[in-house]
Amino acid sequence: MTRAIDREQEHMWDSVYILSQIHSEKAKAVFKAAIEKSFWQLGLTLPVFSTIRFSLPNKEHLSRLRDIEKKMREAYTTKEQEKAYEYLVDYIEQLSEIAEGDSLTVRKKLLVSLLNESAKNNKCSMKNYQLPTSIASFPSRQTTVAYYTTTEVAKKLGLSDQTIRRMCETGKFPGAYKTNGGHWRIPQDIFVTTLEQDDRAEQILHQIDRKNQEAGDVDEFNL
């Protein structure tokens, strides 16, 4: 499973570069999906990420992001948590440099969002502070929130349904709750991309794959 995820992530980075030369909007869709998956592979959420506008990175910057992300994944896989977090800080710094606006301000926003979500998860995991099941299992009725099923999130993140349910149990998804029927529901607004954007990115990747199989190389002017 880990190797398959790694291959998929590498493929997405390749696609960002190819598409950046032809169609910026398509490239941005794949770029967002790649960034989001890189965070989720570490079990992290940065809700503020969706509010920040980013420019497409050039070839050199994209290469740096890709290299840091790969090292971050490897460190996490080998349970070198401290090293993984060091790479994460570098990763956020690189992302802030391609943000529209002041890079220092963006960097602070991303780090604050990361720390805030981490604190929420830690609080949820403390047994002394857990709410009774009868209360914790239901979302507030005062606001209307859209939710994903575990199957939808599994497809979105390239993980198994069982892994997503386990992440729900350990509080990895802020605001997730279990229905009376025992099914988990996960808030859509904690994700950077929508299902529509994910589907579009997947269509682009399949299109590139098909053209690779047919011609050996992607025709950059016929995507």
Side-chain angles (χ1 to χ4, degrees):
M1 174 64 74
T2 300
R3 290 183 179 178
I5 293 174
D6 289 346
R7 285 196 299 271
E8 180 183 354
Q9 195 74 356
E10 291 298 317
H11 188 55
M12 292 183 79
W13 286 118
D14 288 336
S15 301
V16 172
Y17 175 65
I18 293 171
L19 291 168
S20 67
Q21 303 174 68
I22 337 165
H23 199 301
S24 61
E25 290 307 311
K26 289 181 179 179
K28 285 180 180 179
V30 179
F31 180 64
K32 277 188 172 183
I35 296 299
E36 181 173 62
K37 285 192 175 184
S38 68
F39 286 134
W40 278 106
Q41 284 171 18
L42 297 181
L44 302 173
T45 58
L46 278 81
V48 73
F49 186 76
S50 61
T51 69
I52 299 173
R53 295 177 62 86
F54 292 89
S55 302
L56 278 175
N58 57 32
K59 184 177 181 179
E60 181 181 354
H61 207 133
L62 187 63
S63 178
R64 287 201 300 270
L65 277 169
R66 181 175 183 167
D67 182 59
I68 294 171
E69 192 257 4
K70 183 178 181 180
K71 290 177 179 177
M72 183 169 64
R73 278 187 283 120
E74 289 174 348
Y76 184 75
T77 301
T78 56
K79 301 187 184 303
E80 298 177 273
Q81 193 169 39
E82 186 173 342
K83 184 180 291 186
Y85 286 145
E86 288 177 359
Y87 286 129
L88 175 62
V89 172
D90 291 340
Y91 195 58
I92 288 176
E93 184 173 354
Q94 291 296 320
L95 286 173
S96 66
E97 290 182 6
I98 58 172
E100 297 180 5
D102 180 64
S103 62
L104 181 59
T105 300
V106 172
R107 189 181 308 139
K108 286 181 178 179
K109 285 183 178 180
L110 290 172
L111 288 172
V112 167
S113 179
L114 174 64
L115 292 171
N116 185 50
E117 292 304 311
S118 178
K120 286 181 181 178
N121 289 338
N122 287 338
K123 185 176 181 180
C124 288
S125 66
M126 295 173 63
K127 293 183 179 180
N128 292 337
Y129 291 90
Q130 287 181 336
L131 291 173
T133 304
S134 58
I135 298 176
S137 297
F138 296 93
S140 171
R141 295 185 179 180
Q142 296 179 349
T143 58
T144 301
V145 180
Y147 291 88
Y148 287 135
T149 64
T150 54
T151 300
E152 289 172 327
V153 174
K155 178 182 177 182
K156 183 178 181 65
L157 301 181
L159 301 172
S160 68
D161 194 272
Q162 182 180 11
T163 297
I164 297 302
R165 291 197 301 272
R166 191 181 305 120
M167 292 174 73
C168 288
E169 295 284 356
T170 56
K172 295 296 185 181
F173 298 104
Y177 74 98
K178 187 178 286 187
T179 66
N180 288 336
H183 303 291
W184 282 99
R185 294 293 179 262
I186 304 166
Q188 292 184 7
D189 60 7
I190 66 175
F191 295 92
V192 176
T193 57
T194 63
L195 282 180
E196 289 74 19
Q197 290 173 322
D198 292 338
D199 289 340
R200 181 56 178 157
E202 187 173 355
Q203 289 172 13
I204 294 168
L205 293 175
H206 286 323
Q207 196 172 3
I208 292 173
D209 280 339
R210 187 176 66 253
K211 290 187 176 294
N212 276 333
Q213 293 171 2
E214 293 174 353
D217 293 299
V218 175
D219 182 350
E220 295 181 353
F221 300 96
N222 190 31
L223 280 176

